[in-house]
Amino acid sequence: MIPAEFDYVAPDTLEDAIKAVSDGGEDAKLLAGGHSLIPLMKLRLATPSLLVDLRKVPGLHGIQRENGSWRIGALTAHTELEHSPELGLLSVAAGTIADPQVRNRGTIGGSLVHGDPASDLPAVLLIIEGGVTLTGASGQRTVEAADLFRDYLETAVEHGEVLTEVRVPTLEGWGFGYQKFNRRSEDWAMVAVSAVVKKSGDTAEDVRIGLTNMGSVPLRASAAEEALRGQPLTAETIASAAEQAAEGTDPPADLNASPDYKRHLARVLCRRALTEAAGLS
Ligand SMILES: Cc1cc2nc3c(=O)[nH]c(=O)nc-3n(C[C@H](O)[C@H](O)[C@H](O)COP(=O)(O)OP(=O)(O)OC[C@H]3O[C@@H](n4cnc5c(N)ncnc54)[C@H](O)[C@@H]3O)c2cc1C
C-alpha cells in the first residue's frame, strides 16, 4: 500500500520543528519512529499533508538519572529501554514490544502520544506514576500519566506540542511483574497486566496494577489494588485480589477476544503479575 502524497521536512532545532508543525495546520504531523504513523498512512487511515521528522532535533535521546527519577528523551527507542534493566518494569515491558526491527525504530514518545490502549508502555507509565514534558510555542508544561490518556488514540498532547521528555520515578525497593498475553509471539497484547508492589516485611504496603487493552485507555485495577493493600502477601491473598482485576472494566470485543475472555485473562494475568511482583514465583 502506498500513502497519499505528503511534504516532508526534518528541522535541526526543536523551535523549528514546533514552528513547522504549527504552521502546517491540523494536517501536519510529527514523525518519530514512524512505526504507528506510517502503517496508518499506508492504509490511508491517516493522510497528513506534511510530516515534520524529529530525528535531527538534538536533546531528545537518552536516559539520565536525576534525583529519584529517570529522565528519558522522547526519541529513545524501545530497544534502548529494553537494554536498560535499571528501568525495571519499563525495561521488561519494552522488551515485549513486537520484534527487534520495531523496537529499533519505535520510540517511547511516539508510543505514548499515539495513545493505543493495546500498547505496552502506557499502562506501565500509569502505574509507576510517571509524567511527560510537552514543549510548544508558548513554553513547556508537564502532564502526569493519569491525565495523559483521554480516549482511544487520543491524548492530552495538543497540536503544535512536542513530547520532549518522559519522567519515570525509580521506585527503588518495589517489586514488579509484567504479564502479556497474545496469540502470536511479538504481537500486540490481547490483554497485559503490569504490577508493582512495595513490601513491608511480608505485607503489601502499597500495590499498583495496570491493565492494557481492557478499555479505550490504559486502566488501573483499583479494586484489586485496594483488596491487596495492607494484606499479607500470600498465594491466597493475591489470588483473591486478582479475582477483582476486571472490576469496572468494559473491554471492547475485537478479532481475537470477546469482552468476557478479556476479563478472564485480566484476572489470570493479574494473579501472575502480582505473584512475580511479590517475589513469590
Ligand atoms: C508490526 C508492528 C508491531 C507492533 N507491536 C507493538 C507491540 O506489541 N506493543 C506496542 O506497544 N507497540 C507495538 N507497535 C507500535 C510501536 O511500538 C510504535 O513504534 C509506537 O507505538 C509508536 O512510536 P513511533 O516512534 O514509531 O511513533 P510514530 O509512528 O512516528 O508516531 C506516532 C504518533 O505520535 C506522534 N508523535 C511521535 N513522536 C512525538 C513526539 N515526540 N511529540 C509529539 N507527537 C509525537 C506522531 O505525530 C504520530 O501521531 C507495533 C508496530 C508495528 C509496526
Side-chain angles (χ1 to χ4, degrees):
M1 301 279 266
I2 300 172
E5 264 188 36
F6 57 89
D7 291 326
Y8 171 90
V9 291
D12 292 315
T13 67
L14 182 59
E15 291 70 28
D16 287 350
I18 291 167
K19 184 169 178 353
V21 77
S22 302
D23 290 352
E26 287 293 325
D27 286 340
K29 293 287 269 180
L30 293 164
L31 179 71
H35 271 53
S36 290
L37 183 55
I38 302 288
L40 289 178
M41 290 169 64
K42 287 183 165 183
L43 292 167
R44 305 244 173 160
L45 293 172
T47 52
S49 54
L50 171 68
L51 287 189
V52 180
D53 195 337
L54 292 170
R55 73 191 162 87
K56 290 191 193 163
V57 173
L60 297 183
H61 289 90
I63 302 166
Q64 281 171 359
R65 174 115 186 204
E66 194 182 274
N67 302 323
S69 294
W70 296 103
R71 295 174 52 173
I72 305 173
L75 289 189
T76 304
H78 303 322
T79 207
E80 200 176 332
L81 305 176
E82 176 189 6
H83 293 111
S84 303
E86 63 278 14
L87 296 176
L89 176 61
L90 190 68
S91 171
V92 169
T96 71
I97 294 175
D99 49 46
Q101 288 94 325
V102 174
R103 293 200 291 276
N104 282 338
R105 298 291 306 187
T107 66
I108 185 169
S111 176
L112 297 174
V113 178
H114 187 54
D116 183 346
S119 290
D120 292 277
L121 304 184
V124 168
L125 194 73
L126 193 64
I127 67 160
I128 56 185
E129 297 187 347
V132 298
T133 302
L134 306 176
T135 309
S138 52
Q140 281 193 341
R141 64 185 179 116
T142 54
V143 177
E144 298 304 312
D147 301 318
L148 182 60
F149 307 103
R150 296 229 165 125
D151 205 343
Y152 182 71
L153 303 188
E154 197 186 312
T155 66
V157 184
E158 303 284 352
H159 185 73
E161 285 185 318
V162 178
L163 190 161
T164 42
E165 189 175 271
V166 182
R167 184 191 43 79
V168 172
T170 53
L171 290 191
E172 265 159 48
W174 291 62
F176 62 87
Y178 193 66
Q179 294 286 325
K180 175 173 177 177
F181 189 86
N182 43 25
R183 269 180 60 213
R184 301 174 304 184
S185 64
E186 306 188 335
D187 218 339
W188 273 272
M190 205 184 284
V191 172
V193 177
S194 42
V196 288
V197 172
K198 187 178 185 189
K199 280 191 188 180
S200 173
D202 289 333
T203 300
E205 186 182 322
D206 203 356
V207 182
R208 302 183 202 153
I209 302 165
L211 302 174
T212 293
N213 213 12
M214 286 293 289
S216 59
V217 290
L219 298 170
R220 280 188 55 174
S222 310
E225 290 179 356
E226 193 54 38
L228 194 56
R229 205 169 281 130
Q231 298 295 315
L233 284 164
T234 65
E236 291 71 29
T237 56
I238 286 174
S240 164
E243 277 306 302
Q244 301 187 48
E247 202 119 305
T249 64
D250 187 17
D254 57 34
L255 283 176
N256 294 316
S258 66
D260 274 349
Y261 185 51
K262 286 188 179 177
R263 287 191 201 97
H264 166 74
L265 283 177
R267 291 189 283 268
V268 172
L269 298 176
C270 182
R271 177 171 46 77
R272 292 179 188 167
L274 284 172
T275 303
E276 206 182 340
L280 298 179
S281 52

